[in-house]
Amino acid sequence: MLTFTLAGASQRLAPRLGTLIAKGRTPIQTPHYIGNTSRGVIPHITHDNQRKHTAIRSLYMGLEDFIEKLPPRKPPIYDIPYENDISPLKVFASHPPSTLLILSPRRFPPVETPTANTNTTLSICTSVGFRSLPISQYIDATAKLHPDIVISPCDFVPPAAKQNASVKRVEKMSDRTAVWLRDMLAMKKEVREEQGSGGNNGISVFAPILPVEGERQRYYLDQLVEDFKGEVSGLVLYDCGSLGEIPESLEELPRLMLSDPANPRELLQQISLGADMFVLPFVSLATDAGIALGFVFPPPLLGKDGNGSTRVPLGLDTWNEENATDVGSLQEGCQCYACVKHHKAYLHHLLSAKEMLAWVLIQIHNHYVMDQFFAGVRSSIANGTFEEDRQAFERYYEAEMSEKTNQGPRVRGYQFKSKGGGEPKKNPKGYNKLDDMAESLAEAPVPSPSVDAGDLEEHGLGQVSKS
Ligand SMILES: [Zn+2]
């Protein structure tokens, strides 16, 4: 069972402190972020470093990362039995039992797919191309994989597409989402009955709240209150505007935001409206770009002459030539492993040499910064100074994240929008002759097994299935 307790009475659209507890898992003090994984791991960091150097004890995973062989072959995750209340997915990805695991059909942010969802399927992107995932298959998967929290599938049209979405499309979105939630809750009931009162965790279902407006939204929310209340353990929101639409009787449920705030300022705004948990792609994006985050909350006091006219950047571009001879740490006073052991000049050197260790160290630092940031947010809410501190933060720091100036690690299929077959290669040539060889092999009439799957992926996923 999952329990969520709020400290003090919950006020509408106000920052709140909570504790999320699942039996046998590390409790999560909210507001907090959830570690965003790629194929089961936090990008760049190994499991031991994650445990030693970050406070990440909860993970968000997308099922689409694990089911590339289905159909016709059975993905290996389904060969692991569910034992001792430990999710087979956790065993597969080698995470300790105490990690809180949140499973969703798709990674976050999801890659836009060329085909639309249907009444019974979700369009997904696996490592070998796009395909449809029947909702029933997702529900079966969650029953087998036993994550601590499962996100009920939602027929979400991304914001850009939503503007052009017809009224009918919006109607479909909420109708499908409601039907899928009903199916998901039926599965949860079955699992519970199967287990009897044996006293293990069961599966907690988080219900999506779509960013739709008006009559449709009210109808869906009424359903949520009347038919599903008591069965739903939390809410997933895709837009901070939806925070104002949560019915009063569902106020006590934890709220997971899949709203993708672009920077800390947007993040703080969502916290101020009562959001509890976040999946934050901007952290790894900054790491990939070689940007070491450099903000704290609450911000340092402005100096005597500090009138806020020049704001401090949110991060340091480690690629910058200025760092080549700078033996200071990435962020002054930072106690993370990267800052305690190494200096900017070393990080700059690693990046210039395209050493993987550069991204490892920056990722450790960036997650440490986020750990400290959220700890600061929680104590600021506890002290009743959050709004004041938030305004000070806006005065002290720049609004936007620093611009990416250099090439990060090689990008993969799930990191860019695919337009289908025939799109240009996304990565510049890194291996000259070897790249040419790979290309001529790929063009050869007989497909050769020596072409690296990663290289195929770079040609656009749409093409992979054809080659
Ligand atoms: Zn650091």
Side-chain angles (χ1 to χ4, degrees):
M1 260 305 278
L2 198 72
T3 52
F4 183 66
T5 39
L6 283 167
S10 166
Q11 277 176 302
R12 263 191 100 69
L13 297 178
R16 55 192 216 162
L17 288 172
T19 312
L20 185 75
I21 300 173
K23 195 177 143 203
R25 313 287 176 253
T26 310
I28 299 176
Q29 305 296 334
T30 65
H32 211 315
Y33 71 96
I34 306 292
N36 193 10
T37 65
S38 176
R39 317 241 163 120
V41 291
I42 304 282
H44 309 297
I45 315 187
T46 52
H47 295 47
D48 55 339
N49 282 330
Q50 181 198 315
R51 282 194 290 276
K52 260 190 261 169
H53 302 302
T54 75
I56 303 168
R57 299 296 178 263
S58 56
L59 297 171
Y60 173 96
M61 293 190 196
L63 184 70
E64 66 182 357
D65 274 355
F66 302 94
I67 52 172
E68 71 282 355
K69 291 192 166 69
L70 192 77
R73 285 168 60 194
K74 188 171 156 200
I77 39 168
Y78 297 133
D79 289 330
I80 302 168
Y82 170 65
E83 287 170 341
N84 307 324
D85 192 23
I86 303 168
S87 165
L89 197 50
K90 247 184 265 183
V91 177
F92 181 76
S94 304
H95 288 291
S98 61
T99 309
L100 184 92
L101 176 65
I102 303 180
L103 183 72
S104 165
R106 306 216 53 196
R107 41 190 298 136
F108 190 71
V111 171
E112 223 175 288
T113 56
T115 49
N117 301 331
T118 70
N119 284 342
T120 54
T121 62
L122 267 187
S123 201
I124 61 166
C125 170
T126 74
S127 65
V128 292
F130 295 109
R131 49 167 283 224
S132 289
L133 171 70
I135 298 299
S136 58
Q137 221 175 70
Y138 175 62
I139 293 176
D140 285 351
T142 56
K144 277 190 198 118
L145 298 175
H146 266 269
D148 300 303
I149 294 171
V150 56
I151 295 178
S152 188
C154 107
D155 183 30
F156 178 50
V157 177
K162 205 188 92 188
Q163 282 165 0
N164 310 320
S166 62
V167 179
K168 247 191 161 158
R169 181 73 190 85
V170 172
E171 270 179 27
K172 256 191 209 164
M173 269 163 71
S174 31
D175 286 349
R176 283 174 182 170
T177 304
V179 170
W180 296 345
L181 178 62
R182 191 181 296 273
D183 293 349
M184 186 54 99
L185 292 172
M187 175 279 298
K188 179 191 157 175
K189 209 171 149 199
E190 262 172 47
V191 169
R192 199 174 42 209
E193 278 163 9
E194 241 171 62
Q195 289 177 343
S197 53
N200 63 17
N201 269 336
I203 297 171
S204 300
V205 177
F206 273 34
I209 293 191
L210 289 166
V212 295
E213 283 136 27
E215 195 64 17
R216 276 286 127 192
Q217 185 73 314
R218 272 194 296 279
Y219 179 70
Y220 175 74
L221 292 173
D222 284 348
Q223 241 180 322
L224 209 55
V225 173
E226 283 159 25
D227 302 350
F228 307 136
K229 201 192 159 199
E231 289 297 321
V232 166
S233 309
L235 304 172
V236 183
L237 291 89
Y238 297 83
D239 183 88
C240 73
S242 310
L243 283 162
E245 291 173 356
I246 297 174
E248 224 177 290
S249 60
L250 302 179
E251 284 275 313
E252 310 280 295
L253 293 178
R255 304 150 180 185
L256 171 67
M257 304 301 292
L258 295 183
S259 48
D260 197 5
N263 50 54
R265 192 180 275 205
E266 284 183 27
L267 176 59
L268 287 168
Q269 191 213 351
Q270 300 187 11
I271 294 172
S272 77
L273 297 174
D276 299 314
M277 292 175 287
F278 299 85
V279 182
L280 297 173
F282 79 73
V283 181
S284 282
L285 282 178
T287 303
D288 285 349
I291 292 167
L293 302 178
F295 49 84
V296 291
F297 192 89
L301 293 171
L302 289 171
K304 280 192 192 113
D305 54 350
N307 53 11
S309 58
T310 46
R311 293 195 167 97
V312 176
L314 290 163
L316 168 93
D317 184 354
T318 321
W319 284 101
N320 198 320
E321 278 304 318
E322 278 173 18
N323 299 316
T325 52
D326 191 335
V327 290
S329 57
L330 290 175
Q331 186 191 7
E332 212 182 308
C334 178
Q335 292 300 309
C336 84
Y337 175 83
C339 290
V340 169
K341 299 274 184 189
H342 304 289
H343 47 62
K344 287 182 217 173
Y346 181 56
L347 266 296
H348 176 81
H349 156 73
L350 290 176
L351 278 175
S352 313
K354 309 269 193 317
E355 269 293 343
M356 283 193 292
L357 180 59
W359 289 286
V360 173
L361 291 172
I362 296 174
Q363 185 77 313
I364 288 176
H365 167 81
N366 283 352
H367 278 91
Y368 184 86
V369 168
M370 292 316 296
D371 291 333
Q372 300 301 106
F373 175 85
F374 275 99
V377 164
R378 289 191 298 272
S379 53
S380 167
I381 297 174
N383 298 337
T385 55
F386 180 77
E387 208 38 53
E388 226 170 275
D389 293 337
R390 183 166 82 97
Q391 284 167 17
F393 188 92
E394 290 188 4
R395 282 194 301 273
Y396 192 86
Y397 291 106
E398 286 175 359
E400 303 290 333
M401 295 291 285
S402 317
E403 278 294 319
K404 177 180 169 174
T405 58
N406 219 314
Q407 190 67 25
R410 289 168 80 78
V411 294
R412 293 290 169 197
Y414 47 75
Q415 286 168 320
F416 55 82
K417 266 192 201 165
S418 177
K419 300 182 200 83
E423 59 190 43
K425 203 173 159 107
K426 292 294 188 297
N427 288 312
K429 283 185 180 180
Y431 299 97
N432 301 322
K433 275 187 180 169
L434 287 174
D435 277 341
D436 292 341
M437 265 169 70
E439 267 166 35
S440 55
L441 281 171
E443 281 160 16
V446 183
S448 161
S450 62
V451 180
D452 177 50
D455 276 317
L456 284 175
E457 214 172 316
E458 287 160 25
H459 287 273
L461 290 157
Q463 269 195 328
V464 173
S465 49
K466 283 184 211 161
S467 54

